[in-house]
Amino acid sequence: MSEKIERLKTLIIGSGPAGYTAAIYAARADLKPVVYTGMEPGGQLTTTTEVDNFPGYPEGIDGPSMMVQLQQQAERFGTEVRIGMATAVELSDTIGGIHKVTIDDNKTIEAETIIISTGATAKYLNIPSEQRLRGGGVSACAVCDGFFYRGQDVAIVGARDTAAEEASYLANICNKVTMLVRKDQMRASKAMQHRVGSIKNIEVRYNTEVDEVLGEQVVEGLRVVHNQTGEKEDIAITGLFIAIGHKPNTDIFKGQLDMDETGYLITKGKSTKTNKPGVFASGDAQDKEYRQAVTAAGTGCMAALDAERYLASVETPQETV
């Protein structure tokens, strides 16, 4: 016997700051949102030990606790949070049309509006010592975590504009920044290369890769290898920042939603509207510039408001199947 198809006013895919903020606003607007958490409930912040730059937490808060509180706030207004992952979508081209989403390959949801908050995944080097020390001195966000290394020696891996920008940021607060570039030249713009070259406490090492992150509980140093000579060297650092890019979690929307060459969803103007009516994108799934919890939360708010206005502008379909 086939399972009855569930119809929702608002389906939110993803449970980071964008998803839960969207849920708070959608629930208060009586859109009866349902959140599916995805593979990483709480998003990237659940891998962060301390969050010091989110407004409203003067003493700071650890990432997992913050996400629990956001979930509780969303549930307080009637949001239903479910464990599950969207595995396929069939999006309508029609204004007022119904979108179909498959959850965990076996459940079908029909939604009048969808808010996509699937986030992005930071790329890491994927060496065992790096993965073991994530949250113990290894970070993929210098702007988020650089403050904790004020006056200390750190290293950053990467060669593009983002790495150069983060190296410049770190140089303002850290004693020394060692920038590791895998090839014999940076791939950043000339302007960013000149900026890095003009900062005295940034040392750029070319043809250099991470061999091992040293330390048991926290980062204590770095073993690097010159990929032309094979020569290895240990350097003393307390923080390692990986700046080799992010991958937006948007693969299931390929061929249906407009996205750039990297996979970031494209939204219209200053809104969260995608190219499909009733489908909105928020957070790191559509933001490759800022990638902060507070900006993700802001776009989650925008997406819920956009969804509310969209529903108000179309004839409400029959509620039951």
Side-chain angles (χ1 to χ4, degrees):
M1 183 175 179
S2 61
E3 182 181 7
K4 185 178 180 180
I5 297 174
E6 184 177 11
R7 172 73 59 84
L8 302 176
K9 256 191 193 308
T10 300
L11 171 65
I12 300 173
I13 307 174
S15 57
Y20 281 139
T21 304
I24 291 167
Y25 275 79
R28 286 169 58 87
D30 201 28
L31 303 188
K32 299 178 175 58
V34 171
V35 171
Y36 274 95
T37 61
M39 291 291 289
E40 189 176 35
Q44 292 186 68
L45 276 186
T46 57
T47 65
T48 302
T49 52
E50 187 90 9
V51 179
D52 258 2
N53 55 3
F54 197 93
Y57 294 97
E59 303 301 322
I61 186 172
D62 67 90
S65 296
M66 178 180 167
M67 296 317 302
V68 168
Q69 291 184 13
L70 278 175
Q71 178 178 341
Q72 290 171 340
Q73 188 174 1
E75 290 175 329
R76 172 189 165 200
F77 297 112
T79 299
E80 183 178 350
V81 178
R82 302 174 182 174
I83 303 297
M85 183 173 180
T87 51
V89 296
E90 183 181 331
L91 304 178
S92 173
D93 293 311
T94 306
I95 294 176
I98 300 300
H99 309 288
K100 295 182 180 180
V101 179
T102 303
I103 303 296
D104 295 329
D105 294 318
N106 60 26
K107 178 179 175 64
T108 300
I109 299 287
E110 291 188 345
E112 298 171 35
T113 56
I114 295 176
I115 296 175
I116 300 167
S117 307
T118 49
T121 302
K123 296 179 181 177
Y124 284 89
L125 303 173
N126 289 323
I127 58 177
S129 55
E130 172 212 45
Q131 294 299 303
R132 178 171 52 82
L133 290 169
R134 282 176 59 179
V138 175
S139 169
C141 183
V143 176
C144 308
D145 300 327
F147 175 83
F148 302 112
Y149 303 91
R150 182 178 295 274
Q152 303 175 41
D153 292 351
V154 300
I156 184 167
V157 179
R160 295 182 180 270
D161 278 358
T162 297
E165 289 173 1
E166 294 201 345
S168 302
Y169 171 81
L170 290 168
N172 288 326
I173 56 178
C174 297
N175 179 57
K176 180 182 178 181
V177 179
T178 301
M179 191 171 183
L180 307 179
V181 178
R182 185 167 56 90
K183 296 187 177 181
D184 60 359
Q185 60 183 356
M186 293 177 63
R187 302 178 70 181
S189 64
K190 291 297 182 183
M192 290 306 304
Q193 292 187 49
H194 291 322
R195 183 196 294 184
V196 167
S198 69
I199 300 175
K200 293 182 179 180
N201 62 334
I202 296 180
E203 177 189 358
V204 182
R205 296 195 179 196
Y206 296 101
N207 294 121
T208 304
E209 300 181 44
V210 176
D211 183 64
E212 186 177 358
V213 186
L214 306 176
E216 289 300 320
Q217 302 298 322
V218 296
V219 173
E220 298 174 0
L222 197 63
R223 181 164 297 137
V224 298
V225 58
H226 192 283
N227 56 29
Q228 300 299 305
T229 65
E231 181 181 356
K232 295 183 179 182
E233 179 186 354
D234 290 357
I235 59 175
I237 61 166
T238 53
L240 174 63
F241 296 89
I242 311 298
I244 58 176
H246 289 71
K247 182 184 184 304
N249 303 319
T250 58
D251 285 352
I252 65 170
F253 306 107
K254 285 182 178 178
Q256 298 190 64
L257 293 181
D258 291 342
M259 56 183 70
D260 68 11
E261 67 280 358
T262 312
Y264 286 95
L265 298 175
I266 296 173
T267 50
K268 298 179 180 180
K270 295 182 179 180
S271 76
T272 63
K273 299 174 184 177
T274 68
N275 59 299
K276 299 288 187 181
V279 179
F280 309 93
S282 63
D284 287 8
Q286 56 87 48
D287 170 26
K288 62 180 177 182
E289 296 296 332
Y290 302 103
R291 297 194 301 268
Q292 300 297 302
V294 67
T295 52
T299 57
C301 162
M302 292 165 59
L305 294 175
D306 285 341
E308 179 185 6
R309 291 164 183 167
Y310 168 81
L311 286 169
S313 71
V314 299
E315 184 175 297
T316 305
Q318 187 179 347
E319 291 291 330
T320 59
V321 176

